[in-house]
Amino acid sequence: MLRSWIGSGTLRSLCIRRLTQSSLSSHKAPFSSAPTRYLPPSADRVPLRKQLKQEAKALRSHKRQRKETEEASREEWELTVGVEIHAQLDTETKLFSRAPTSTSDTPNANVALFDLAFPGSQPAFQIATLLPALRAAIALNCEIQPVSRFDRKHYFYQDQPAGYQITQYYEPFARNGYVDLFDYDGIAPEDGERVRIDIKQLQLEQDTAKSQEYPPSTQLLDFNRVSHPLIEIITMPQIHTPATAAACVRKLQAIVQSCGAVTTGMEMGGLRADVNVSIRRRGEAPGQHQYDGISGLGQRTEIKNLSSFKAVEDAIIAEKNRQIEVLESGGVIEGETRGWTIGSTETRRLRGKEGSVDYRYMPDPDIPPLIIGDDLLSSLRDSIPTAPDALLTLLVGSEFNLPIDDAKPLIELDNGARLEYYHDVVDILRSLQVDQDDKTRASLARVASNWVLHELGGLLAKADRAWDPEIVPARSLAHLIDHLQRKLITGPTAKQVLATIFDGDHRPVPQLLEEENLLLRPLSREEYLALAESVIALNPQMVEQIRNKNQLGKLGWFVGQMMRTGEKGRVEAPKAEEILRELILG
């Protein structure tokens, strides 16, 4: 950009001018006073600022055209998406061995003989791994199957030492669930206020080894992750917008985390998503393909291992645009597996898509059927935590009266730990303010959410620290808010004290405020009168306007002057206005 500007604009003229001056001066006598030659700037000069403006305008135009194109394509082409989620269950042992599931230890340390497919080793199903899977199925409104079985899915890859993966393809342990998505979940506006996505099945299966490539030809394998218990959640292909697909993945993650089935989400690698994408032109004959009982669809492609919600949305947009371009140019969509790189604008081919026949599924002869009793299900249903949607309804209701923008983060952050902390703060705060009226006590929940999310959350983000409720104990924050609500301290003082506690000061809040002399001393009536009289004396014309022209709005200006003139934080606006009315209006 700079080079082109130099070539056509002012800098080029200056360079030519200096070169010309230098050449001429070499032929002149010393100390010659002859005028130097001046070359006017080029007629096609384009200043840098103007060029930047032109480029920005062109970029905006390009984005606008792209948006219009996408809107037009949305009208002409129908997108269909199905989601498959692989989530690591919260268990102490692996699915078919007693090896621990910790992946933070030395590579290849937490493995059993069966995990490495040693000849003669046998799978031993660990009953405890079933419990979090059942909690997820219940939370997703699934029908739990009384009998389910395991199958072998055959394929050869270095991260699967047995040459097959144990899964539940034919008879999974849960079927026919659903998840409801609402506008506050981030679904696309064209999908309305609510969308229900059916879940075909949940199945238990093994995870694979973790591989790390060192180009050009080295690949290291860590088998600690092999046979880590997974649930695969397979939705029906009922999603028709990229934003709703991302919202679906986000909601599914929130649900399986809230019920205690998993501990980590996409951000920590504990949950991965695959999406199946197909398109068909509206108004034409239905497509020839059928997936999960839904017919008339176009040929689908699968995008593997998406590791963020944004990646889900962006990858679907890119693949949709690619398929439209292929079909509009007369090409044919191939069934294939594709990949996506964060920041990319297009998907990339990985391999041809294998069908179920290619995997040569067969019942696993070494694992007996899995039988689930009603008594176990009844016990789990009684102990399962409140669902995220029910929690949201509670938080935005009359008891807490939170805005939805505060309620959702409280539910989603830190696997529910932030919400539990918030409840503790509110309970303690309400017990401290039993002498307050109902309206004041009702507002405490909203005040507490601001301090938990924004003030304390801001300190955590700035210090880049993970959530820990002991950094600022709930009792300390509740006492701090209590003092602020009673106007015993100012807002800036409260933030200062919070930062002090955050940095490790463990003194009780009342003691800290007393010892640091941070408590406010209320002004007496005489002090209010003296302050008001001094402000009035300096502004007689405004006093006359209030008295003679009834310009009562200017009382607020006088209140502001009193608050600025008086000791910081000690002047209370209502009392100041009361004194001013008394002195000015009588």
Side-chain angles (χ1 to χ4, degrees), residues 357-378:
V357 176
D358 296 316
Y359 285 124
R360 293 176 292 123
Y361 285 99
M362 60 169 283
D364 193 303
D366 296 327
I367 307 175
L370 186 60
I371 300 174
I372 301 171
D374 291 337
D375 53 344
L376 174 60
L377 295 179
S378 177

Side-chain angles (χ1 to χ4, degrees), residues 2-3 5-24 37-42 45:
L2 184 58
R3 180 180 297 173
W5 187 68
I6 291 174
S8 61
T10 303
L11 288 184
R12 185 178 68 175
S13 300
L14 291 175
C15 292
I16 294 174
R17 178 181 172 185
R18 290 178 180 174
L19 178 61
T20 305
Q21 289 176 344
S22 175
S23 301
L24 290 174
R37 181 183 176 190
Y38 172 75
L39 293 180
S42 172
R45 174 175 62 89

Side-chain angles (χ1 to χ4, degrees), residues 75-365:
E75 294 296 325
E76 184 177 358
W77 295 91
E78 181 184 45
L79 170 72
T80 301
V81 177
V83 174
E84 299 175 7
I85 288 180
H86 304 265
Q88 290 183 348
L89 294 174
D90 180 20
T91 63
E92 294 183 357
T93 64
K94 296 186 178 181
L95 192 58
F96 297 110
S97 76
R98 294 181 181 177
T101 53
S102 173
T103 57
S104 60
D105 296 321
T106 305
N108 298 313
N110 298 330
V111 291
L113 294 178
F114 177 76
D115 302 331
L116 296 175
F118 267 56
S121 60
Q122 293 289 308
F125 179 70
Q126 304 299 303
I127 298 295
T129 63
L130 177 63
L131 301 181
L134 289 174
R135 285 198 293 270
I138 293 170
L140 292 172
N141 311 292
C142 291
E143 299 172 2
I144 311 298
Q145 306 302 299
V147 179
S148 61
R149 291 178 171 82
F150 289 95
D151 307 301
R152 292 182 179 180
K153 175 183 178 181
H154 292 85
Y155 66 93
F156 298 96
Y157 203 68
Q158 64 264 28
D159 62 5
Q160 186 62 267
Y164 60 85
Q165 179 190 34
I166 300 177
T167 183
Q168 291 186 312
Y169 182 74
Y170 291 113
E171 298 183 60
F173 76 97
R175 297 180 185 271
N176 303 329
Y178 64 86
V179 58
D180 287 326
L181 307 177
F182 300 90
D183 50 1
Y184 55 73
D185 290 315
I187 63 176
E190 55 266 34
D191 285 332
E193 296 181 355
R194 176 175 176 172
V195 176
R196 172 165 290 186
I197 306 300
D198 292 324
I199 295 173
K200 177 187 177 184
Q201 64 189 53
L202 265 67
Q203 57 197 48
L204 280 164
E205 62 184 30
Q206 298 170 295
D207 206 345
T208 58
K210 183 178 181 180
S211 59
Q212 190 168 357
E213 293 187 9
Y214 290 88
S217 59
T218 301
Q219 191 169 56
L220 301 182
L221 295 172
D222 179 6
F223 288 96
N224 282 345
R225 199 177 70 179
V226 165
S227 206
H228 191 124
L230 295 178
I231 51 169
E232 182 175 4
I233 305 170
I234 304 174
T235 76
M236 299 293 284
Q238 297 171 330
I239 303 171
H240 301 290
T241 55
T244 299
C248 180
V249 176
R250 188 184 300 110
K251 186 67 168 284
L252 289 172
Q253 173 176 295
I255 291 173
V256 296
Q257 284 183 323
S258 69
C259 69
V262 304
T263 55
T264 60
M266 278 190 153
E267 67 282 354
M268 298 295 292
L271 187 144
R272 306 185 296 276
D274 305 336
V275 292
N276 295 298
V277 180
S278 69
I279 62 169
R280 64 178 178 182
R281 196 186 297 270
R282 299 180 190 274
E284 290 188 352
Q288 301 176 354
H289 299 275
Q290 173 178 310
Y291 305 114
D292 299 327
I294 298 180
S295 59
L297 301 178
Q299 173 64 57
R300 71 178 179 184
T301 57
E302 183 179 27
I303 309 173
K304 299 285 288 184
N305 292 327
L306 300 173
S307 58
S308 72
F309 308 124
K310 188 175 189 306
V312 170
E313 184 171 0
D314 289 348
I316 292 172
I317 292 173
E319 179 59 15
K320 172 191 173 183
N321 292 339
R322 185 193 72 85
Q323 291 189 19
I324 291 174
E325 185 176 335
V326 169
L327 293 177
E328 288 185 340
S329 63
V332 176
I333 302 299
E334 298 180 12
E336 58 188 357
T337 299
R338 302 185 68 85
W340 167 261
T341 302
I342 294 176
S344 178
T345 57
E346 57 185 25
T347 60
R348 66 186 188 281
R349 177 184 169 89
L350 297 178
R351 59 184 178 272
K353 179 66 177 173
E354 296 177 319
S356 59
V357 176
D358 296 316
Y359 285 124
R360 293 176 292 123
Y361 285 99
M362 60 169 283
D364 193 303

Side-chain angles (χ1 to χ4, degrees), residues 457-471:
L459 291 175
L460 287 166
K462 186 176 180 180
D464 194 22
R465 295 178 67 175
W467 172 255
D468 182 352
E470 297 305 316
I471 296 177

Side-chain angles (χ1 to χ4, degrees), residues 294-555:
I294 298 180
S295 59
L297 301 178
Q299 173 64 57
R300 71 178 179 184
T301 57
E302 183 179 27
I303 309 173
K304 299 285 288 184
N305 292 327
L306 300 173
S307 58
S308 72
F309 308 124
K310 188 175 189 306
V312 170
E313 184 171 0
D314 289 348
I316 292 172
I317 292 173
E319 179 59 15
K320 172 191 173 183
N321 292 339
R322 185 193 72 85
Q323 291 189 19
I324 291 174
E325 185 176 335
V326 169
L327 293 177
E328 288 185 340
S329 63
V332 176
I333 302 299
E334 298 180 12
E336 58 188 357
T337 299
R338 302 185 68 85
W340 167 261
T341 302
I342 294 176
S344 178
T345 57
E346 57 185 25
T347 60
R348 66 186 188 281
R349 177 184 169 89
L350 297 178
R351 59 184 178 272
K353 179 66 177 173
E354 296 177 319
S356 59
V357 176
D358 296 316
Y359 285 124
R360 293 176 292 123
Y361 285 99
M362 60 169 283
D364 193 303
D366 296 327
I367 307 175
L370 186 60
I371 300 174
I372 301 171
D374 291 337
D375 53 344
L376 174 60
L377 295 179
S378 177
S379 174
L380 288 174
R381 286 193 175 97
D382 291 340
S383 62
I384 200 165
T386 307
D389 285 336
L391 285 175
L392 191 67
T393 301
L394 175 66
L395 291 175
V396 300
S398 58
E399 182 178 356
F400 294 93
N401 196 30
L402 297 185
I404 199 164
D405 290 340
D406 281 356
K408 280 183 65 63
L410 281 174
I411 295 170
E412 295 171 357
L413 286 172
D414 310 304
N415 297 332
R418 191 80 63 103
L419 179 61
E420 183 178 352
Y421 176 86
Y422 166 74
H423 279 305
D424 290 342
V425 171
V426 172
D427 289 343
I428 297 170
L429 188 54
R430 284 175 171 169
S431 70
L432 293 172
Q433 298 234 340
V434 290
D435 58 327
Q436 301 296 317
D437 58 74
D438 292 342
K439 183 178 180 181
T440 301
R441 295 183 72 245
S443 68
L444 295 177
R446 197 158 185 161
V447 174
S449 75
N450 177 66
W451 280 86
V452 171
L453 284 174
H454 305 297
E455 302 301 338
L456 179 54
L459 291 175
L460 287 166
K462 186 176 180 180
D464 194 22
R465 295 178 67 175
W467 172 255
D468 182 352
E470 297 305 316
I471 296 177
V472 178
R475 180 165 295 278
S476 296
L477 184 56
H479 275 277
L480 188 63
I481 298 172
D482 176 57
H483 279 74
L484 180 62
Q485 291 293 98
R486 295 178 185 275
K487 296 182 171 54
L488 299 176
I489 57 175
T490 65
T493 298
K495 294 179 182 180
Q496 175 189 341
V497 172
L498 178 65
T500 301
I501 299 171
F502 185 85
D503 290 336
D505 193 324
H506 299 298
R507 286 177 290 176
V509 168
Q511 178 185 343
L512 190 156
L513 294 172
E514 188 70 37
E515 292 178 353
E516 300 298 331
N517 195 29
L518 296 173
L519 290 170
L520 282 176
R521 183 177 63 84
L523 291 177
S524 65
R525 173 177 170 79
E526 289 71 23
E527 289 173 311
Y528 271 108
L529 284 169
L531 190 58
E533 288 170 350
S534 66
V535 172
I536 289 172
L538 294 174
N539 301 277
Q541 292 182 347
M542 291 187 67
V543 172
E544 290 302 317
Q545 291 173 351
I546 294 173
R547 286 173 175 166
N548 300 330
K549 298 182 180 180
N550 200 32
Q551 296 181 0
L552 299 181
K554 293 186 177 179
L555 284 172

